[in-house]
Amino acid sequence: DGGITQSPKYLFRKEGQNVTLSCEQNLNHDAMYWYRQDPGQGLRLIYYSQIVNDFQKGDIAEGYSVSREKKESFPLTVTSAQKNPTAFYLCASLRRGGKLFFGSGTQLSVL
Amino acid sequence: SQKIEQNSEALNIQEGKTATLTCNYTNYSPAYLQWYRQDPGRGPVFLLLIRENEKEKRKERLKVTFDTTLKQSLFHITASQPADSATYLCALDLMNYGGSQGNLIFGKGTKLSVKP
């Protein structure tokens, strides 16, 4: 079955460390997105990519970086510059008609 | 400032009743409005999309209305069941503002609990 795989499910970051969240899709979708979700908050867009080798900043891109070297993959790096990284991170791809298809998320916590 | 609000953080109803969730927005003119369901620890799942020129959309026990004059969408679940318990998110798609398709503005969600 087609879908989006996010890994790991849980991730812990030490202070000063960069960590990378994986997002892989086999849906053949062109556009992919990274959202951050904090308790009691709406989803906020970090980065998005409409095509391979191109990506755009969302509303809260500071402290994050991405790459899009392959259509299937859109990894997110949380850098040490992100001072409040604890959150639930969601990767999504764009289905026909403007609908988003989400992965199951990665919970990032700070040690 | 631009805002999207889901009126209730939590809604508790009895099984069999109709659940009605509200989504209000200000200073947007969305082309589409979408509703998603999110279970704890999982990603949101798309439920329904309604266009600005549509008043109502139905899918099984779900119904969505969209009033662009009131800047409001209502999401109804009829004959609710305990399995409907989840957080429901509304999202605006600002395609007509030249934004990237799929760059949705999400509300904070309403947590629905259906008691047997």
Side-chain angles (χ1 to χ4, degrees):
Chain A
D1 287 338
I4 294 181
T5 301
Q6 289 189 242
S7 63
K9 181 65 176 174
Y10 300 96
L11 186 59
F12 297 91
R13 193 191 89 167
K14 296 179 182 178
E15 193 171 337
Q17 186 182 40
N18 293 351
V19 292
T20 297
L21 284 61
S22 171
C23 178
E24 301 280 332
Q25 56 108 350
N26 61 1
L27 299 164
N28 201 34
H29 291 164
D30 288 314
M32 297 185 73
Y33 304 79
W34 274 105
Y35 283 89
R36 169 178 171 144
Q37 187 175 34
D38 295 277
Q41 300 295 318
L43 278 66
R44 292 183 290 169
L45 183 66
I46 305 173
Y47 269 98
Y48 63 97
S49 168
Q50 293 182 291
I51 198 167
V52 174
N53 292 324
D54 184 57
F55 49 83
Q56 306 294 329
K57 292 182 179 180
D59 300 319
I60 55 165
E62 186 175 348
Y64 300 97
S65 65
V66 294
S67 63
R68 187 85 188 275
E69 297 176 1
K70 298 186 302 182
K71 187 176 186 177
E72 301 80 15
S73 180
F74 191 39
L76 174 74
T77 297
V78 184
T79 74
S80 57
Q82 174 49 247
K83 299 306 179 187
N84 184 25
T86 297
F88 190 51
Y89 290 86
L90 288 158
C91 178
S93 64
L94 187 64
R95 294 163 52 185
R96 242 178 53 174
K99 307 156 192 173
L100 290 178
F101 188 96
F102 285 89
S104 56
T106 293
Q107 176 64 49
L108 176 62
S109 303
V110 177
L111 285 176
Chain B
S1 63
Q2 299 170 324
K3 289 197 301 185
I4 174 170
E5 289 185 343
Q6 295 189 243
N7 282 17
S8 303
E9 285 190 13
L11 180 64
N12 299 311
I13 65 167
Q14 205 67 32
E15 182 176 8
K17 301 294 186 184
T18 296
T20 299
L21 285 64
T22 305
C23 179
N24 294 292
Y25 57 93
T26 58
N27 297 334
Y28 290 117
S29 293
Y32 306 112
L33 192 144
Q34 303 183 25
W35 284 88
Y36 289 78
R37 169 182 172 142
Q38 187 176 23
D39 291 284
R42 307 297 298 271
V45 174
F46 170 79
L47 295 175
L48 282 168
L49 178 151
I50 188 165
R51 294 174 174 79
E52 59 181 335
N53 60 350
E54 296 177 318
K55 295 295 185 186
E56 181 179 299
K57 184 74 74 75
R58 292 177 184 260
K59 178 183 175 182
E60 298 173 352
R61 294 185 295 112
L62 308 180
K63 184 178 84 171
V64 173
T65 63
F66 193 12
D67 189 325
T68 55
T69 301
L70 292 178
K71 294 186 180 293
Q72 180 181 79
S73 175
L74 299 178
F75 177 79
H76 306 273
I77 305 176
T78 59
S80 60
Q81 305 166 0
D84 295 325
S85 299
T87 295
Y88 292 86
L89 309 174
C90 70
L92 306 181
D93 189 333
L94 306 181
M95 285 176 60
N96 57 331
Y97 275 179
S100 171
Q101 187 175 13
N103 186 351
L104 303 181
I105 311 297
F106 281 87
K108 295 180 181 181
T110 296
K111 184 175 181 180
L112 175 66
S113 296
V114 182
K115 304 297 184 185

